[in-house]
Amino acid sequence: MQNILFIIHSSPYGDEHFFSALRLALQLQEQHKSAVNLKLFLMSDAVNGGLAKQNPAEGYHLQQMLEILTAQGATVKLCKTCTNARGITELPLAEGVEIGTLVELADWTVEADKVLNF
């Protein structure tokens, strides 16, 4: 089993970096389900992508993508410092998404076989 860590910094809807990260994560789960263990840590403005009740007017729906990933076994956490800074720590999160810490990210990084940054 290969441990793959995604660190996502990009704003959820400002450009396609966040979307591209989720597309790759979903493809890895679909194509190599029994061979990969996926963890996603959202930092900076990316933490907004982990909020519930998103209603994009058109295009991709990041909340749905995150919920598919977590339902299939991926772990998704939002940086607590980043959510605090944006005043969103107490808001409802997408199903399966949790608040995490830099301590967890440090552990995940050491345990990871691959670290991908978006």
Side-chain angles (χ1 to χ4, degrees), residues 2 4 23-24 26 42 54 65 75-77 85 87 89 94-95 113:
Q2 204 173 94
I4 302 176
R23 287 180 57 224
L24 177 57
L26 286 165
L42 282 53
Q54 293 181 35
M65 294 173 81
T75 303
V76 178
K77 295 205 176 187
T89 304
E95 191 171 326
D113 297 305

Side-chain angles (χ1 to χ4, degrees), residues 67-80:
E67 289 174 347
I68 291 167
L69 284 164
T70 60
Q72 294 177 350
T75 303
V76 178
K77 295 205 176 187
L78 309 180
C79 170
K80 184 176 183 177

Side-chain angles (χ1 to χ4, degrees), residues 25-115:
L26 286 165
Q27 187 64 40
L28 284 167
Q29 273 193 334
E30 180 182 321
Q31 200 170 327
H32 302 283
K33 185 175 184 162
S34 62
V36 297
N37 177 37
L38 298 182
K39 293 184 179 180
L40 292 83
F41 198 87
L42 282 53
M43 301 183 81
S44 307
D45 284 339
V47 295
N48 291 305
L51 294 174
K53 301 181 182 178
Q54 293 181 35
N55 190 18
E58 57 185 61
Y60 47 88
H61 196 297
L62 300 176
Q63 179 185 343
Q64 282 182 338
M65 294 173 81
L66 286 171
E67 289 174 347
I68 291 167
L69 284 164
T70 60
Q72 294 177 350
T75 303
V76 178
K77 295 205 176 187
L78 309 180
C79 170
K80 184 176 183 177
T81 303
C82 302
T83 60
N84 285 342
R86 288 156 182 79
I88 65 171
T89 304
E90 301 302 321
L91 295 178
L93 302 177
E95 191 171 326
V97 174
E98 302 173 354
I99 301 292
T101 65
L102 204 54
V103 171
E104 290 173 293
L105 178 58
D107 289 340
W108 288 5
T109 302
V110 169
E111 296 164 1
D113 297 305
K114 291 186 173 78
V115 178

